[in-house]
Amino acid sequence: MVIPPPVEAERFPLIHRPIQRIFFLCVSRLIPYKRIDLAIEACNRLQLPLVVIGGGRDLEPLKKLAGPTIRIMGRLSDEEVLYYFTHCRAFLFPR
């Protein structure tokens, strides 16, 4: 059985080329129960580069929490999000 993805996958072509993957990535609505603060706190402590993409009521508090290795981008276009997905070292999904 094939279960199709819940997105139009053909909109996002795979890119097969060597890329230096130097940052971690979170893409989410920035609201409390998504716990993006956990990813930011972990990357702050470990001094790891993190890019956070999304919008929501926690945008400003998360910006205040972010240290020097964290970039909070806000909302981006699909093309911009795809760029970050294809260039990140890993996708972080806090719970």
Side-chain angles (χ1 to χ4, degrees):
M1 173 179 9
V2 174
I3 301 174
V7 298
E8 296 175 40
E10 58 276 352
R11 286 182 53 205
F12 306 102
L14 291 175
I15 299 171
H16 298 286
R17 66 178 182 257
I19 298 171
Q20 186 179 14
R21 300 172 194 280
I22 58 170
F23 61 89
F24 294 90
L25 178 66
C26 278
V27 179
S28 176
R29 288 191 57 215
L30 304 181
I31 53 179
Y33 80 89
K34 296 287 189 165
R35 298 309 312 262
I36 303 304
D37 60 312
L38 293 177
I40 291 173
E41 288 175 6
C43 288
N44 277 339
R45 284 187 186 185
L46 298 170
Q47 295 189 350
L48 294 172
L50 173 66
V51 173
V52 178
I53 298 173
R57 67 179 186 225
D58 273 4
L59 180 62
E60 292 306 316
L62 291 175
K63 282 183 178 180
K64 290 178 184 172
L65 181 62
T69 64
I70 314 295
R71 291 187 326 188
I72 300 184
M73 307 298 290
R75 293 189 59 149
L76 300 177
S77 70
D78 287 349
E79 291 78 21
E80 291 169 309
V81 173
L82 178 60
Y83 170 84
Y84 283 100
F85 266 117
T86 59
H87 289 79
C88 71
R89 184 171 186 179
F91 178 73
L92 302 183
F93 189 76
R95 295 195 47 126

